[in-house]
Amino acid sequence: MASSSQQLALALAWMFAVPTLVLLAGFAPVGRGRLARFASPRDLTVTVTSGPVLITYLARVSRWRAVGGAAGWVAGGALALPGAYYFWGAAGYLVGALAAEIRTSVRLTPPDGPRRASLAVRRSGDYLSWGVRWGPVFVISAVALQLAGYLRWPSAGTLDVQPSEVLLGGTGVAVVTAVLWLSRWLIVRRPRPVLPDDLNAVDDEIRASSLQTIGGASLALMCLAAGDVMWDVTLDLDAPEPFNWIHSVLAFGVFAMALYAWFGVRVRARRLLRETTE
Amino acid sequence: MIVEIDPEASVPPYEQLRTQIAALIRSGELEVGTRLPSIRQLAGDLGLASGTVARAYRELESAGYVRGRVGQGTVVRAAPELAERERGERLTEAARAYATAARELGADLDSALTAVRRQFGG
């Protein structure tokens, strides 16, 4: 059996090893391989002028996201925040990703002389995959269904699910939804000057990638916050079959969706199908 | 489809924008049913105040070039037929603005007319 000092050492190692690895990965130089991994799935041709723009973007966002993720992970452990390390790591990652976009979207002074703009419409829906657009609707519907079931078939004894717990979960979902909305607003409305075709393509992919990353991370956090409440409800539910089974599947589904959102949706390369006036 | 605004010009930015979009609609480059960008998007891209773009859109709407629909944004309509008198008034107004700009630049009548002919492709 491990002594208390060994357990402490293990806990500290766990608390600092993951953030260290995340920081090392986030601050690693952007090489050709990474550039190709970004460009290939998006059918993006990297040119002499667009390459440096892409490298700057990839370096900036991965640094901010890594710092946010590492800070969240460490803060979750050091401050003994409720919930698992990974939840706070993901929350920090999302804050870092948003901070990187805010930094880029800060309004710059318009240049002197004539200003040009395209009449092409930019909409967040064009940049996002199906999962990010409809995932939050699915999660909120699942939570509503679960709570409706709980009100219909509460447990026979005392209620174990406290209103404060539901309120906390609901606040978490609301905050993440607000972050998702803010990021869409920031990224889509970010001014775009008239650029050559190759830089236009890169600009579109950068917007799409940022929105997809923030959308996927938001959805994962939303699922974790909602899944926590849903799981407690499922354990305390006194519903007849097959409703009990349906509620259990829903709760599992939301947790599974958190994994899919983080490892699938967040990193998915969306092929842009834009409706333009050009 | 590009619009260009010169903040230094004697013609106010909303009028420059209105004229260019109206011309694109009249020439058919902006087809009926095409959505125009939101006021905020275009204002951000051009570095103008939202009110400036909103005024241009409002004037285009009152002239019948576009229609604003809740949830659909601003959509291009068929170019309205101008009455002879209205066309004359607008032409006079545009000529006055051009003449002012040409005088500011110190251009004589011949060079000003040559520039106009060139724009007409003649």
Side-chain angles (χ1 to χ4, degrees):
Chain A
M1 203 169 161
S3 68
S4 59
S5 59
Q6 280 175 321
Q7 283 176 342
L8 182 67
L10 272 174
L12 283 174
W14 177 240
M15 196 165 101
F16 288 106
V18 175
T20 306
L21 289 174
V22 167
L23 285 172
L24 284 173
F27 280 79
V30 180
R32 282 175 186 274
R34 200 156 150 210
L35 209 56
R37 279 198 299 280
F38 183 90
S40 300
R42 296 173 170 85
D43 282 340
L44 187 67
T45 309
V46 181
T47 63
V48 178
T49 45
S50 68
V53 176
L54 207 49
I55 289 170
T56 308
Y57 164 75
L58 290 172
R60 187 189 68 239
V61 292
S62 45
R63 280 173 197 165
W64 278 91
R65 291 170 191 170
V67 167
W73 183 283
V74 172
L79 304 175
L81 296 172
Y85 283 105
Y86 60 79
F87 179 84
W88 295 107
Y93 175 94
L94 183 60
V95 171
L98 195 62
E101 300 305 328
I102 290 173
R103 190 175 170 274
T104 314
S105 302
V106 170
R107 191 175 281 258
L108 301 170
T109 313
D112 290 334
R115 302 165 194 171
R116 304 173 79 218
S118 165
L119 288 178
V121 178
R122 291 198 298 276
R123 290 177 299 199
S124 61
D126 298 329
Y127 292 110
L128 292 170
S129 69
W130 186 90
V132 177
R133 273 186 287 165
W134 294 104
V137 178
F138 170 76
V139 174
I140 290 168
S141 307
V143 173
L145 204 65
Q146 192 88 328
L147 291 176
Y150 191 55
L151 292 174
R152 174 77 179 77
W153 299 293
S155 61
T158 53
L159 299 182
D160 286 343
V161 181
Q162 299 300 314
S164 59
E165 197 181 337
V166 177
L167 198 68
L168 196 68
T171 308
V173 171
V175 167
V176 172
T177 309
V179 166
L180 193 55
W181 180 84
L182 178 67
S183 65
R184 285 186 183 195
W185 191 81
L186 269 174
I187 295 168
V188 176
R189 297 256 170 89
R190 185 158 64 210
R192 174 154 108 177
V194 175
L195 301 165
D197 284 349
D198 59 337
L199 291 178
N200 256 341
V202 164
D203 182 79
D204 269 339
E205 293 300 346
I206 282 174
R207 284 173 205 258
S209 167
S210 291
L211 274 173
Q212 192 69 23
T213 302
I214 291 176
S218 302
L219 186 59
L221 279 168
M222 197 183 273
C223 289
L224 288 175
D228 205 31
V229 175
M230 287 173 76
W231 185 245
D232 286 349
V233 167
T234 304
L235 291 178
D236 202 33
L237 196 68
D238 210 7
E241 295 300 346
F243 297 104
N244 200 39
W245 181 83
I246 291 171
H247 279 82
S248 304
V249 168
L250 270 180
F252 272 119
V254 168
F255 276 123
M257 198 170 163
L259 286 174
Y260 174 66
W262 188 264
F263 294 105
V265 175
R266 186 180 58 89
V267 290
R268 185 169 170 207
R270 172 145 165 77
R271 286 172 191 268
L272 295 177
L273 291 170
R274 299 189 58 220
E275 179 189 299
T276 68
T277 58
E278 281 175 323
Chain B
M1 214 75 66
I2 307 293
V3 285
E4 186 173 312
I5 302 297
D6 185 358
E8 312 291 320
S10 55
V11 182
Y14 82 85
E15 181 58 21
Q16 294 179 46
L17 191 57
R18 188 197 68 76
T19 315
Q20 287 178 53
I21 295 176
L24 288 169
I25 295 172
R26 285 215 155 270
S27 67
E29 285 179 74
L30 272 175
E31 291 172 3
V32 177
T34 307
R35 261 187 65 179
L36 293 181
S38 70
I39 290 171
R40 284 172 189 271
Q41 181 193 314
L42 195 53
D45 288 357
L46 287 169
L48 299 172
S50 296
T52 306
V53 178
R55 183 167 177 189
Y57 276 18
R58 222 168 28 241
E59 301 218 349
L60 284 166
E61 191 172 3
S62 62
Y65 285 102
V66 297
R67 66 164 184 269
R69 274 190 186 171
V70 177
Q72 284 188 10
T74 308
V75 180
V76 173
R77 294 175 66 182
E81 283 300 320
L82 289 180
E84 200 59 40
R85 187 179 158 200
E86 196 183 347
R87 181 181 284 123
E89 280 174 5
R90 290 211 184 164
L91 206 55
T92 307
E93 196 181 312
R96 190 180 299 126
Y98 177 61
T100 309
R103 273 194 214 103
E104 273 178 23
L105 293 169
D108 59 14
L109 182 61
D110 282 343
S111 356
L113 288 175
T114 307
V116 172
R117 281 199 193 94
R118 202 176 299 132
Q119 289 301 315
F120 266 88

